[in-house]
């Protein structure tokens, strides 16, 4: 879904026709703009001359338009969001340099710097992709077996996927692979109603269904519903397969019964299929994740509009903040805002201990030092400053509302005043059709984050992992992975000089900026997060065969 071409941004200029400029004689300009000795006769002639009044009105209007235009941000609309008011006021009062408006085409992957007219900064430098490119060249055996699999109209796989949008993506990817393993047709996945957000979106509300079918037409037969011949079949139902199941286990468990009954219904697929699959299945995972699962047109349209508004004044950073109340409760961590907020989280955790997904035998302090806690706004700010983010960096923040509201974001907004989310950027009414659709809102965040010049998550999660893989597959665009476990002791050392702190932080993150990483060195890791070497290679003869 990464953009293959970058659009050249349109500029707004107020121009004076050269014919008008040339028609002004040197004496006319001198009489208007240069001081001369006073003369009653000369003044009388001057004020009676209609040309004088024409140019006087023209210049007055021209200068007035320039003054008015210089105070406007042409593509970022005003927002009713209270978090954005002070940011926009700060943007106007700080007087951004005109050079930020003169943006050419957005730089491509692995760009050596920032476009002309924008403040040069090492922060925007892209990592070296080492020449890796997508290559999904399936084996001859895989292609041969596709013929029989696509002809088979006796076996059908139905899946119910749950969780947030990014969890659903992961499960859909695995559902396609399982359908291929079983040689079954895949019925368009059913999205379980999210009990937390009440989102009733269907597959086609979030993803482009026609595109999904078309891209995977040579791998798996995808149907919108069961055919009439199978409507009365009793499906083989499996609520929750074991962890890390292999293709052999899947065939041994389901194939015989699937042939007999014709329909298999699977639930709870999240992280159930093994991460270590034969090469062709790994390539199929990448094909689904990076090519098949394209967002629905209305999501892409709005996401790209917001992207253009962020790009209007140069490069931008997308920041995925994980500071919601449920995140603090589940991780066993504290927001660090004040004693009052910490007590609210502690009380919630005591009332509902089942929500804690982190290690229950660790104290908050131990979790923090182990790098298991999300970064709060102050820590994110210090990290970005140490890594050299310019003060005028434009930040798009994705994620839910932080616990503590505007107060929780103050360290960031004080240091980086150009701080926006989708509510700040959208025009009135643009988000209204999706107001109760949490998955679609997450998809819009995904589009703007994927298109950014740099991306950083404040904590691990499904979205961060998915975007890391997408940015790698797009040519290794900058992705900052906070080295929380090693950097936090330095955050706690108040006696450390700022220059030394910055040097240490830069050194700790030298290899954590989105450079190519081999999955072979990450045993058991998802290929859609680390697509090298299964889905990317450096041999120009083996480019994608899609």
């Amino acid at each position: 879904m990464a953009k293959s071409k970058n659009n050249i941004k349109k500029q707004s200029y107020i121009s004076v026709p050269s014919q008008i400029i040339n028609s002004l004689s040197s004496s006319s300009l001198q009489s208007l703009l240069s001081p001369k000795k006073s003369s009653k006769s000369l003044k009388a002639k001057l004020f009676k001359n209609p040309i004088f009044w024409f140019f006087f009105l023209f210049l007055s209007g021209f200068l007035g338009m320039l003054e008015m235009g210089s105070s406007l941000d042409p593509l970022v609309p005003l927002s009713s969001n209270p978090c954005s008011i002070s940011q926009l006021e700060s943007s106007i009062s700080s007087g951004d340099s005109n050079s930020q408006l003169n943006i050419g085409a957005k730089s491509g992957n692995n760009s050596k710097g920032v476009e002309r007219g924008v403040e040069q900064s090492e922060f925007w430098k892209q990592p070296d992709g080492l020449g890796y490119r997508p290559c999904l060249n399936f084996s001859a055996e895989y292609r041969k077996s596709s013929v029989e699999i696509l002809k088979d109209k006796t076996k059908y796989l139905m899946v119910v996927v749950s969780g947030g949008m990014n969890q659903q993506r992961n499960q859909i990817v695995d559902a396609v692979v399982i359908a291929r393993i079983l040689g079954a047709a895949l019925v368009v996945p059913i999205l379980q109603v999210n009990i937390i957000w009440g989102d009733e979106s269907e597959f086609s509300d979030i993803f482009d269904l026609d595109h999904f079918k078309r891209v995977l037409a040579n791998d798996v037969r995808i149907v919108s519903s069961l055919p009439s011949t199978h409507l009365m079949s009793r499906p083989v139902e499996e609520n929750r397969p074991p962890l890390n199941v292999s293709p052999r286990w899947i065939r041994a468990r389901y194939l015989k019964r699937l042939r007999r009954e014709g329909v298999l219904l699977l639930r709870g697929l999240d992280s159930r299929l093994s991460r270590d699959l034969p090469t062709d299945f790994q390539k199929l995972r990448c094909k689904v994740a990076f090519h098949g699962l394209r967002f629905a047109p209305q999501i892409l349209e709005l996401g790209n509009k917001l992207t253009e508004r962020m790009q209007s004044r140069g490069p931008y950073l997308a920041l995925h903040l994980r500071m919601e109340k449920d995140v603090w409760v589940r991780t066993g961590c504290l927001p660090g805002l004040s004693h009052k907020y910490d007590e609210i989280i502690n009380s919630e955790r005591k009332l509902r201990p089942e929500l804690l997904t982190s290690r229950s035998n660790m104290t908050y302090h131990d979790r923090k030092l182990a790098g298991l806690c999300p970064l709060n706004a102050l820590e994110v700010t210090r990290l970005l400053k140490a890594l050299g983010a310019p003060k005028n960096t434009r930040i798009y923040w994705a994620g839910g509302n932080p616990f503590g509201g505007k107060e929780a974001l103050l360290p960031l907004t004080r240091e980086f005043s150009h701080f926006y989310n989708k509510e700040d950027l959208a025009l009135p009414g643009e988000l209204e059709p999706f107001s109760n659709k949490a998955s679609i809102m997450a998809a819009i965040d995904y589009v703007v984050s994927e298109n950014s010049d740099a991306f950083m998550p404040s904590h691990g999660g499904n979205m961060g992992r998915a975007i890391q893989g997408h940015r790698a597959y797009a040519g290794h665009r900058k992705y900052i992975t906070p080295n929380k476990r090693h950097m936090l002791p330095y955050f706690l050392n108040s006696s450390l000089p700022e220059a030394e702190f910055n040097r240490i932080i830069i050194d700790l993150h030298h290899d954590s900026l989105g450079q190519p990483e081999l999955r072979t060195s990450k045993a058991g890791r998802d290929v859609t997060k680390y697509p090298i070497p299964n889905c990317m290679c450096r041999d120009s003869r083996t480019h994608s065969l899609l």
Side-chain angles (χ1 to χ4, degrees), residues 200-219:
E200 298 180 358
S201 298
E202 298 180 358
F203 185 98
S204 58
D205 295 326
I206 302 173
F207 304 105
D208 188 330
L209 179 55
D210 291 337
H211 177 83
F212 183 67
K213 290 180 178 180
R214 184 168 58 252
V215 168
L216 300 172
N218 294 326
D219 305 277

Side-chain angles (χ1 to χ4, degrees), residues 95-101 117 313 392:
D96 290 341
S97 64
N98 291 334
S99 62
Q100 288 184 296
L101 296 174
R313 290 197 169 187
N392 64 353

